[in-house]
Amino acid sequence: MADTPMDRRTITLHHTTRRTMTVQGVGIATLPPDIARFSVGISEEGWQVRQIQQSVARRTDAVLSALQSHGVVERDLQTTDYAISPEHDYREGRHVFRGYSVTTSLRVTVREIGQVGALLEAVTDAGATDIDRITFELDDPEQANRLARAEAVRNARAKAEELAAAVGATLGPVITVSDTTYAPDEPLPMMHTATRALSSAPPPIMAGEIDVAITLTITYALE
């Protein structure tokens, strides 16, 4: 998937009428993610809305207790959805009412990457019916931006010096700098329907690495 520009800035250092040269430098920083996020869903169907709500509430409390017992704090838990809806089956050309569905979803932030597998197992055992959208991120993306930006400056400077030497010129001061930050590719959602029949060991979760790329466009004066 193509990278999408996230931030673009242009800094003009001074105006000049001298000869100039414009080059692009690319820098990439690769870092291991230090936080993970995933969604937990609890859903149930039945004929009496209030009874279903109470059952879903009990299971949600159990899921929250399981998360908190593994060190997830309240600020890292967010309700993202709560819905009550009628459910129908389509039979012989008509809709047949089969009851109501109550669904709630929580978004969980995990600050200990190694705990993700154990947390998935814990919420499943506590009554979660769905787990999805597992993503890995950087808690401080600016650290990666700084590393990538420094690499892009070195890359641009090397290109400019090589080109200047090729045309018999000397590289002068920087005239303008423009940078574009590219976010990592959008993580693919990992879908899982929770059941209590998981193996005794937590599911293996691979965090991988995150790439952050910056392209700098730098204009130098030529002496």
Side-chain angles (χ1 to χ4, degrees):
M1 183 175 68
D3 288 326
T4 303
M6 296 293 292
D7 177 49
R8 186 175 180 85
R9 298 177 295 173
T10 299
I11 304 171
T12 300
L13 302 181
H14 61 271
H15 178 70
T16 179
T17 56
R18 290 180 293 182
R19 294 183 303 159
T20 62
M21 173 187 293
T22 300
V23 296
Q24 283 193 332
V26 177
I28 299 176
T30 301
L31 295 175
D34 50 14
I35 61 172
R37 302 185 201 276
F38 64 87
S39 292
V40 179
I42 300 101
S43 63
E44 194 167 322
E45 293 186 9
W47 291 95
Q48 300 296 325
V49 172
R50 184 157 183 80
Q51 289 180 359
I52 310 170
Q53 285 181 295
Q54 291 172 342
S55 177
V56 168
R58 287 193 296 269
R59 292 165 67 184
T60 302
D61 286 342
V63 167
L64 289 172
S65 295
L67 290 167
Q68 291 168 345
S69 69
H70 282 73
V72 180
V73 297
E74 187 174 343
R75 67 185 175 92
D76 290 330
L77 298 168
Q78 183 182 45
T79 299
T80 56
D81 182 58
Y82 187 87
I84 302 172
S85 59
E87 300 295 328
H88 296 83
D89 290 325
Y90 191 74
R91 299 175 186 169
E92 298 179 353
R94 62 191 183 92
H95 292 280
V96 179
F97 177 67
R98 74 163 189 262
Y100 294 93
S101 171
V102 176
T103 302
T104 188
S105 297
L106 299 168
R107 189 67 175 160
V108 182
T109 298
V110 184
R111 300 188 185 276
E112 294 290 338
I113 294 290
Q115 283 287 310
V116 173
L119 286 169
L120 297 182
E121 184 179 42
V123 297
T124 298
D125 289 342
T129 53
D130 296 283
I131 298 170
D132 62 51
R133 199 63 184 172
I134 304 175
T135 61
F136 295 93
E137 305 171 20
L138 297 173
D139 192 31
D140 178 19
E142 186 53 36
Q143 177 190 6
N145 291 341
R146 288 192 296 269
L147 294 172
R149 193 174 292 114
E151 178 63 27
V153 169
R154 291 190 291 269
N155 181 251
R157 180 81 186 184
K159 287 181 181 179
E161 288 177 343
E162 181 180 353
L163 290 171
V167 297
T170 301
L171 206 61
V174 173
I175 306 300
T176 63
V177 179
S178 174
D179 80 6
T180 303
T181 303
Y182 291 86
D185 287 345
E186 181 72 14
L188 295 176
M190 297 171 63
M191 308 297 289
H192 172 63
T193 299
T195 71
R196 288 185 172 79
L198 287 176
S199 64
S200 58
I205 302 297
M206 309 302 292
E209 294 182 324
I210 293 177
D211 292 336
V212 175
I214 286 183
T215 298
L216 289 181
T217 301
I218 303 180
T219 299
Y220 295 90
L222 291 178
E223 305 292 350

